[in-house]
Amino acid sequence: MGFIARTQMRGTKARIAVAGAVVAVAATAWGVTALVDPGHDTNHQNVSRQTEDPAKGGDAEPQAPGKPGGQVPDGIAHASESGGNTVNITIDDGPDPQWTPKVLDVLKKYDVKAVFCMIGPQAKDHPDLVKKVVAGGHRLCDHTMDHNTGMDKKPFPYQQQQILDAKKQIEDAAGGGAKVEYYRAPGGAFTPESRALAAANGMRPLGWNIDTKDFSKPGVAAIVGTVKAEIGNGPTILFHDGGGDRTQSVEALDQVLAWLKEQGRPTGFPVVTGPSA
């Protein structure tokens, strides 16, 4: 066989190998595998342990295909649908029968809509609260089954189970055809595969720009101070209505929303189909 022919054959084999790898990645993203590796970690960490800088609201990795037709990108969203100086309020780790109603009352007081990132079993146990969130005009977000902040270290089948099972439990609890529009990885433990899986199932990966640290109960003044100091980082703010005593969270949310109103900062929802930054 001549040199040119051998070279062409090697090139053909290389192209076949690359194509096979792409198919394998796509199959993984669409959930072909089925093994599950259980695990749980309730520590709350920062937005993403990928190469993204949450303060800049960027997504440093190339976007993989999302939902058929590309309706939902898999880049981690931070921007507001309304643009400008609009702020997004996001609430994690509920629903909780003690704290979610109090958070809803504060939001209603200021006529603010928020995204509630719910734990699957919590939603299943409290469908009345999920329905109340939806009835209030708020949006739903998948925050997995077990809030394992080490998800990015787990095999993809485990991530798949955590994400899709929670999505089903939240939507079943909401009823009425309500949809989960976002996916937020616990502690920001996104992976390219989990992002692609979320997008393929109609959920935009959701990050944050301002971590209020309310989860650690540093005091109302500290929580509010963090928001004021970091408001320049970007529009999406993280609060909690679950995971423990949220007395400080509720009071701080009230003060933050009052301050945002004084500043003339409207509130809205994170983008679903728009750019991440």
Side-chain angles (χ1 to χ4, degrees):
M1 184 182 297
F3 173 77
I4 295 177
R6 288 195 302 271
T7 301
Q8 290 175 338
M9 179 173 290
R10 285 196 296 270
T12 300
K13 290 179 179 178
R15 286 191 295 272
I16 291 172
V18 170
V22 171
V23 170
V25 170
T28 300
W30 281 89
V32 174
T33 51
L35 296 175
V36 176
D37 178 20
H40 179 68
D41 182 354
T42 56
N43 293 325
H44 206 281
Q45 301 175 23
N46 205 353
V47 58
S48 177
R49 292 196 294 275
Q50 295 189 107
T51 55
E52 179 200 3
D53 181 350
K56 296 179 180 178
D59 182 6
E61 298 183 2
Q63 292 187 6
K67 193 176 180 181
Q71 294 94 328
V72 180
D74 71 352
I76 300 173
H78 301 83
S80 176
E81 288 180 342
S82 301
N85 65 345
T86 303
V87 174
N88 307 316
I89 303 298
T90 64
I91 315 290
D92 282 17
D93 295 359
D96 181 276
Q98 181 173 2
W99 304 110
T100 301
K102 295 180 185 299
V103 168
L104 287 171
D105 287 345
V106 172
L107 294 171
K108 184 176 181 179
K109 175 181 176 181
Y110 294 95
D111 192 25
V112 167
K113 308 303 180 187
V115 175
F116 283 77
C117 300
M118 297 184 174
I119 306 296
Q122 289 291 108
K124 182 179 179 180
D125 290 345
H126 306 289
D128 56 322
L129 294 178
V130 182
K131 290 178 174 64
K132 190 172 182 179
V133 166
V134 173
H138 308 285
R139 292 186 185 179
L140 300 174
C141 173
D142 180 338
H143 204 36
T144 73
M145 293 291 290
D146 295 319
H147 199 277
N148 184 353
T149 58
M151 274 187 60
D152 55 342
K153 304 297 191 297
K154 296 290 186 180
F156 175 74
Y158 171 82
Q159 300 177 48
Q160 178 188 25
Q161 174 264 326
Q162 285 283 313
I163 295 168
L164 297 186
D165 285 5
K167 178 178 186 289
K168 184 178 188 307
Q169 290 191 357
I170 296 167
E171 290 183 343
D172 286 351
K179 297 298 181 184
V180 175
E181 298 186 63
Y182 306 92
Y183 163 63
R184 173 173 277 168
F190 292 100
T191 65
E193 294 81 9
S194 67
R195 287 165 45 197
L197 174 71
N201 285 273
M203 298 181 291
R204 182 68 185 265
L206 177 60
W208 64 84
N209 304 103
I210 303 169
D211 184 353
T212 64
K213 302 295 195 300
D214 65 326
F215 190 84
S216 62
K217 295 183 283 190
V220 173
I223 297 169
V224 176
T226 295
V227 174
K228 291 181 178 181
E230 298 184 9
I231 194 67
N233 289 350
T236 301
I237 307 175
L238 171 63
F239 284 94
H240 292 83
D241 64 340
D245 186 336
R246 301 273 69 91
T247 302
Q248 294 180 14
S249 301
V250 173
E251 177 58 32
L253 177 63
D254 191 308
Q255 292 188 25
V256 165
L257 294 183
W259 178 74
L260 289 172
K261 185 176 181 179
E262 292 171 0
Q263 298 296 307
R265 299 290 298 265
T267 56
F269 291 115
V271 296
V272 174
T273 59
S276 59

